[in-house]
PDB file of all heavy atoms in Angstrom:
ATOM      1  N   GLU A1337     -54.859  -0.829  17.570  1.00  0.00           N
ATOM      2  CA  GLU A1337     -55.961  -1.350  18.361  1.00  0.00           C
ATOM      3  C   GLU A1337     -55.556  -2.660  19.068  1.00  0.00           C
ATOM      4  O   GLU A1337     -56.054  -2.944  20.158  1.00  0.00           O
ATOM      5  CB  GLU A1337     -57.185  -1.614  17.464  1.00  0.00           C
ATOM      6  CG  GLU A1337     -57.829  -0.353  16.893  1.00  0.00           C
ATOM      7  CD  GLU A1337     -58.583   0.441  17.931  1.00  0.00           C
ATOM      8  OE1 GLU A1337     -58.700  -0.022  19.098  1.00  0.00           O
ATOM      9  OE2 GLU A1337     -59.049   1.535  17.602  1.00  0.00           O
ATOM     10  N   ALA A1338     -54.637  -3.395  18.429  1.00  0.00           N
ATOM     11  CA  ALA A1338     -54.193  -4.640  19.050  1.00  0.00           C
ATOM     12  C   ALA A1338     -53.251  -4.349  20.230  1.00  0.00           C
ATOM     13  O   ALA A1338     -52.286  -3.561  20.100  1.00  0.00           O
ATOM     14  CB  ALA A1338     -53.452  -5.510  18.033  1.00  0.00           C
ATOM     15  N   HIS A1339     -53.539  -4.955  21.354  1.00  0.00           N
ATOM     16  CA  HIS A1339     -52.681  -4.850  22.553  1.00  0.00           C
ATOM     17  C   HIS A1339     -52.533  -3.398  23.051  1.00  0.00           C
ATOM     18  O   HIS A1339     -51.554  -3.060  23.687  1.00  0.00           O
ATOM     19  CB  HIS A1339     -51.318  -5.451  22.307  1.00  0.00           C
ATOM     20  CG  HIS A1339     -51.361  -6.875  21.799  1.00  0.00           C
ATOM     21  ND1 HIS A1339     -51.973  -7.887  22.522  1.00  0.00           N
ATOM     22  CD2 HIS A1339     -50.903  -7.436  20.645  1.00  0.00           C
ATOM     23  CE1 HIS A1339     -51.874  -9.034  21.850  1.00  0.00           C
ATOM     24  NE2 HIS A1339     -51.245  -8.775  20.687  1.00  0.00           N
ATOM     25  N   TYR A1340     -53.511  -2.578  22.738  1.00  0.00           N
ATOM     26  CA  TYR A1340     -53.460  -1.170  23.148  1.00  0.00           C
ATOM     27  C   TYR A1340     -53.378  -1.080  24.678  1.00  0.00           C
ATOM     28  O   TYR A1340     -54.145  -1.713  25.373  1.00  0.00           O
ATOM     29  CB  TYR A1340     -54.672  -0.423  22.611  1.00  0.00           C
ATOM     30  CG  TYR A1340     -54.663   1.038  22.932  1.00  0.00           C
ATOM     31  CD1 TYR A1340     -53.690   1.911  22.426  1.00  0.00           C
ATOM     32  CD2 TYR A1340     -55.653   1.585  23.803  1.00  0.00           C
ATOM     33  CE1 TYR A1340     -53.690   3.245  22.721  1.00  0.00           C
ATOM     34  CE2 TYR A1340     -55.650   2.941  24.077  1.00  0.00           C
ATOM     35  CZ  TYR A1340     -54.652   3.773  23.548  1.00  0.00           C
ATOM     36  OH  TYR A1340     -54.660   5.107  23.858  1.00  0.00           O
ATOM     37  N   MET A1341     -52.409  -0.310  25.195  1.00  0.00           N
ATOM     38  CA  MET A1341     -52.217   0.004  26.596  1.00  0.00           C
ATOM     39  C   MET A1341     -51.664  -1.183  27.404  1.00  0.00           C
ATOM     40  O   MET A1341     -51.497  -1.063  28.624  1.00  0.00           O
ATOM     41  CB  MET A1341     -53.499   0.529  27.258  1.00  0.00           C
ATOM     42  CG  MET A1341     -54.003   1.819  26.685  1.00  0.00           C
ATOM     43  SD  MET A1341     -52.978   3.263  27.153  1.00  0.00           S
ATOM     44  CE  MET A1341     -53.393   3.448  28.875  1.00  0.00           C
ATOM     45  N   GLU A1342     -51.336  -2.305  26.774  1.00  0.00           N
ATOM     46  CA  GLU A1342     -50.837  -3.431  27.534  1.00  0.00           C
ATOM     47  C   GLU A1342     -49.460  -3.158  28.195  1.00  0.00           C
ATOM     48  O   GLU A1342     -49.130  -3.750  29.187  1.00  0.00           O
ATOM     49  CB  GLU A1342     -50.737  -4.686  26.687  1.00  0.00           C
ATOM     50  CG  GLU A1342     -52.062  -5.342  26.424  1.00  0.00           C
ATOM     51  CD  GLU A1342     -51.945  -6.679  25.683  1.00  0.00           C
ATOM     52  OE1 GLU A1342     -50.839  -7.302  25.728  1.00  0.00           O
ATOM     53  OE2 GLU A1342     -52.931  -7.101  25.049  1.00  0.00           O
ATOM     54  N   GLY A1343     -48.710  -2.250  27.609  1.00  0.00           N
ATOM     55  CA  GLY A1343     -47.402  -1.929  28.170  1.00  0.00           C
ATOM     56  C   GLY A1343     -47.401  -0.826  29.193  1.00  0.00           C
ATOM     57  O   GLY A1343     -46.371  -0.366  29.681  1.00  0.00           O
ATOM     58  N   GLU A1344     -48.618  -0.375  29.556  1.00  0.00           N
ATOM     59  CA  GLU A1344     -48.719   0.796  30.461  1.00  0.00           C
ATOM     60  C   GLU A1344     -48.132   0.543  31.845  1.00  0.00           C
ATOM     61  O   GLU A1344     -47.495   1.440  32.433  1.00  0.00           O
ATOM     62  CB  GLU A1344     -50.168   1.216  30.576  1.00  0.00           C
ATOM     63  CG  GLU A1344     -50.419   2.499  31.384  1.00  0.00           C
ATOM     64  CD  GLU A1344     -49.806   3.738  30.762  1.00  0.00           C
ATOM     65  OE1 GLU A1344     -49.316   3.667  29.614  1.00  0.00           O
ATOM     66  OE2 GLU A1344     -49.790   4.776  31.457  1.00  0.00           O
ATOM     67  N   SER A1345     -48.324  -0.647  32.379  1.00  0.00           N
ATOM     68  CA  SER A1345     -47.805  -0.921  33.745  1.00  0.00           C
ATOM     69  C   SER A1345     -46.285  -0.877  33.774  1.00  0.00           C
ATOM     70  O   SER A1345     -45.685  -0.314  34.680  1.00  0.00           O
ATOM     71  CB  SER A1345     -48.332  -2.241  34.251  1.00  0.00           C
ATOM     72  OG  SER A1345     -48.050  -3.297  33.365  1.00  0.00           O
ATOM     73  N   MET A1346     -45.624  -1.486  32.764  1.00  0.00           N
ATOM     74  CA  MET A1346     -44.190  -1.440  32.736  1.00  0.00           C
ATOM     75  C   MET A1346     -43.703  -0.024  32.441  1.00  0.00           C
ATOM     76  O   MET A1346     -42.658   0.411  32.966  1.00  0.00           O
ATOM     77  CB  MET A1346     -43.619  -2.448  31.729  1.00  0.00           C
ATOM     78  CG  MET A1346     -42.094  -2.497  31.696  1.00  0.00           C
ATOM     79  SD  MET A1346     -41.403  -3.791  30.628  1.00  0.00           S
ATOM     80  CE  MET A1346     -41.271  -5.133  31.806  1.00  0.00           C
ATOM     81  N   ARG A1347     -44.421   0.709  31.608  1.00  0.00           N
ATOM     82  CA  ARG A1347     -44.064   2.071  31.355  1.00  0.00           C
ATOM     83  C   ARG A1347     -44.066   2.902  32.633  1.00  0.00           C
ATOM     84  O   ARG A1347     -43.130   3.688  32.906  1.00  0.00           O
ATOM     85  CB  ARG A1347     -44.990   2.725  30.313  1.00  0.00           C
ATOM     86  CG  ARG A1347     -44.571   4.145  29.909  1.00  0.00           C
ATOM     87  CD  ARG A1347     -45.746   4.964  29.391  1.00  0.00           C
ATOM     88  NE  ARG A1347     -46.781   5.163  30.401  1.00  0.00           N
ATOM     89  CZ  ARG A1347     -46.671   5.994  31.409  1.00  0.00           C
ATOM     90  NH1 ARG A1347     -45.574   6.734  31.584  1.00  0.00           N
ATOM     91  NH2 ARG A1347     -47.651   6.107  32.293  1.00  0.00           N
ATOM     92  N   ALA A1348     -45.088   2.713  33.445  1.00  0.00           N
ATOM     93  CA  ALA A1348     -45.185   3.473  34.692  1.00  0.00           C
ATOM     94  C   ALA A1348     -44.026   3.187  35.639  1.00  0.00           C
ATOM     95  O   ALA A1348     -43.601   4.036  36.402  1.00  0.00           O
ATOM     96  CB  ALA A1348     -46.521   3.165  35.380  1.00  0.00           C
ATOM     97  N   VAL A1349     -43.477   1.963  35.574  1.00  0.00           N
ATOM     98  CA  VAL A1349     -42.393   1.574  36.468  1.00  0.00           C
ATOM     99  C   VAL A1349     -41.034   2.032  35.932  1.00  0.00           C
ATOM    100  O   VAL A1349     -40.202   2.547  36.688  1.00  0.00           O
ATOM    101  CB  VAL A1349     -42.414   0.043  36.675  1.00  0.00           C
ATOM    102  CG1 VAL A1349     -41.199  -0.394  37.484  1.00  0.00           C
ATOM    103  CG2 VAL A1349     -43.701  -0.380  37.364  1.00  0.00           C
ATOM    104  N   PHE A1350     -40.785   1.866  34.640  1.00  0.00           N
ATOM    105  CA  PHE A1350     -39.442   2.021  34.100  1.00  0.00           C
ATOM    106  C   PHE A1350     -39.204   3.271  33.250  1.00  0.00           C
ATOM    107  O   PHE A1350     -38.038   3.592  32.980  1.00  0.00           O
ATOM    108  CB  PHE A1350     -39.076   0.774  33.290  1.00  0.00           C
ATOM    109  CG  PHE A1350     -38.851  -0.452  34.107  1.00  0.00           C
ATOM    110  CD1 PHE A1350     -39.189  -1.714  33.584  1.00  0.00           C
ATOM    111  CD2 PHE A1350     -38.319  -0.391  35.370  1.00  0.00           C
ATOM    112  CE1 PHE A1350     -38.964  -2.875  34.318  1.00  0.00           C
ATOM    113  CE2 PHE A1350     -38.128  -1.530  36.125  1.00  0.00           C
ATOM    114  CZ  PHE A1350     -38.435  -2.787  35.597  1.00  0.00           C
TER     115      PHE A1350
END
Side-chain angles (χ1 to χ4, degrees):
E1337 293 288 355
H1339 306 300
Y1340 182 65
M1341 297 289 286
E1342 283 186 22
E1344 184 65 9
S1345 55
M1346 183 174 269
R1347 185 205 61 76
V1349 175
F1350 289 147

